[in-house]
Amino acid sequence: MSVTIKDVARIAGVSPSTVSRVISNHPRISRATADKVRKIMSDLDYHPNIMAQSLVSKTTNTIAIILPRPAEELFLNLFFAEVIRGIVSQTSKAGYDLLMTSGSSQREEVEAITRLVRGRRIDGVLLLHSRNNDPLIAFLREENFPFVLIGRSPDDQEVLSVDTDNVQASYDAVMHLVMQRHERIGFVNGPPNLTVSQDRMAGYRKALQEQGLEGKPEWIVEGEFLQESGYRAMSFLMNLSERPTALVVTDDVVTFGVLRGLIELGYKVPEDIALVSFNNIALAEMSTPPISSIDIGIYQLGYTASHALLASIQNEGEGKKRVIIPHRLVVRESSLQK
Amino acid sequence: MSVTIKDVARIAGVSPSTVSRVISNHPRISRATADKVRKIMSDLDYHPNIMAQSLVSKTTNTIAIILPRPAEELFLNLFFAEVIRGIVSQTSKAGYDLLMTSGSSQREEVEAITRLVRGRRIDGVLLLHSRNNDPLIAFLREENFPFVLIGRSPDDQEVLSVDTDNVQASYDAVMHLVMQRHERIGFVNGPPNLTVSQDRMAGYRKALQEQGLEGKPEWIVEGEFLQESGYRAMSFLMNLSERPTALVVTDDVVTFGVLRGLIELGYKVPEDIALVSFNNIALAEMSTPPISSIDIGIYQLGYTASHALLASIQNEGEGKKRVIIPHRLVVRESSLQK
DNA sequence: CTGAAAGCGCTAACAA
DNA sequence: TTGTTAGCGCTTTCAG
């Protein structure tokens, strides 16, 4: 079969434990033996069996994430790829691997994670979002298993998390529209059970209230992170007798749908209605008109969360409970009065 | 620590090997014992240690993919998320996990895969693309390690692969433009070292030739799978003394850049210039104008490749060497003469 | 149908 | 500084 530590030991004329020590850079090993062993290892093209290492060391150098389920969180198509890039760039620098799993229901997700956690397959978990009464968070806390949430846990302040200040971001979006002299501002939001949606709603409400602006309930549309959601929202919103003159939209992809809907209905952006949205995906800049968007630093979210998770695995505690990645509004044509 | 097979055995009053047999649904085990043991397992919330299982079974129920590196293959932002979804839906159905790794250079990629393969960490590898003289393919072949390529290997016919017929797809795109009475057709392609780019170029050339159409070299622009590439290509193409009246673009994201470039230069699509592209991402439909695009079935590519890989892992050979996922042109406004 | 025992490849006391 | 030994948790002959 494949070459083992024993083969190396035999050929180098040392004991297996010596080889093991060389592998792990044990300090108390003579320079000469180390070099000799290393030479043999590379001659034989030896690579340690990772499973065997894990079995005894009780650590896997692997963290897991759960692939978002379709539909409900499909916005993650873009968010997802970017956040993954951030995560992997951090983990691979630290010598960790990333395991991806999925479940087609909430229950299956918990089962999958249970299998990995109890099966000692992974050292930590990265959660890409949270909702009210999230059973995954409950499970991980109960197991006292290292995990970091990208987002905010509504039920539990003690959860390690890396997040955007979505209340503030949403507030900022509204204020930008207010500065452009808009007074009737609507909101196209995502699924209301997600924490991110709740926070952005709160920021929107806060801004309206502080500015003494009227907020008609029918100006708020809740949907999914899909372009169709934005598209459909327009046929509803633009049929109101009293229409908003500006919209905050919770995701750029949704904004693409919004734009398409408006164009088909014969409206112009920003003349008839101004738009600001979130995430600042690369395509936002290439849209017609280019979309004003709040850049939440998706890559940074992934990178930082991953870093925090590894720290928590290695230090058993310590560290800030909650890290906020700063956001910034990138103003483009879609929200500018001519 | 955590509950092991011995704990279960002791409490159930049987031997560890009996418990092991229950876990693996060994046939020669009495119904009564099996039920008893299963009950205890669930009472104790026992989950087998996956590393220990792997160590002895020499199989990991895990396959790996390599995260594409930035820039060069960034188009995979969208392709990537979709293909992953296809892969995971297949693997998780079959009880496999997906491991993601990355390298910031070609050499690092090979190192990462070497570590996983020789370290017996994974059972197979899924490659998301190929280029000429791909060292990863060379390594995997040499190790005789199961892998499936999404794409086509230019150097090696024997590689298991799942692919689009890119020559034909590109040919179809050109022919669609020909049907719309275009005679001056340009091509905005991706990185020329990728097989996919080479194949699409071949299809483009073949169609022009068959139709006896002139193909000016300056109508072909090679770039990356980025919107900027498309954007930049336009300032070049539209400054030519003799301009094309239609373009085939290798990716929808690039097309967004192309559109933006054209609009800023004051051209209208499709009146001044018609566009057809590839991939049919969800946003293609929401663009202004909506983009005609060849749907290559990205999810299906991932799903099928993953299936083929698992089959190859389990059957040691057999099966078709090369599977083609059918494509279809979705015609929208960007390519229609009014 | 079930148990005892050996061993997968590696690490980590404990000795030397 | 290095070797010996005893496992990590599981599977799998081989006996019974």
Side-chain angles (χ1 to χ4, degrees), chain B residues 112-132:
Chain B
I113 289 297
T114 305
R115 195 185 104 255
L116 296 175
V117 168
R118 306 284 317 248
R120 299 256 168 275
R121 178 74 193 267
I122 53 175
D123 297 340
V125 176
L126 222 40
L127 260 28
L128 296 187
H129 57 246
S130 73
R131 65 192 78 224
N132 291 333

Side-chain angles (χ1 to χ4, degrees), chain B residues 4 29 31 54 76 94 100 110 114 148-149 177 195 200 204 209-210 218 226-227 243 246-247 251 282-283 323 325:
Chain B
T4 77
I29 203 94
R31 183 62 185 277
S54 288
L76 293 170
M100 256 173 53
V110 176
T114 305
V148 168
L149 168 65
L177 294 170
T195 317
R200 289 182 183 170
Y204 165 78
Q209 194 169 3
E210 278 190 23
E218 58 276 28
L226 295 171
Q227 50 271 52
R243 292 190 291 267
L247 292 176
D251 181 83
L283 290 181
V323 178
I325 302 297

Side-chain angles (χ1 to χ4, degrees), chain A residues 283-330:
Chain A
L283 289 180
E285 189 183 0
M286 295 290 165
S287 159
T288 307
I291 302 169
S292 296
S293 190
I294 293 192
D295 193 320
I296 60 170
I298 299 176
Y299 179 94
Q300 196 61 247
L301 280 166
Y303 188 89
T304 308
S306 184
H307 186 78
L309 178 57
L310 299 190
S312 140
I313 289 170
Q314 283 152 12
N315 309 329
E316 301 278 345
E318 295 307 299
K320 289 256 272 298
K321 288 284 181 241
R322 184 163 156 76
V323 177
I324 297 294
I325 302 297
H327 60 267
R328 69 176 222 285
L329 172 63
V330 179

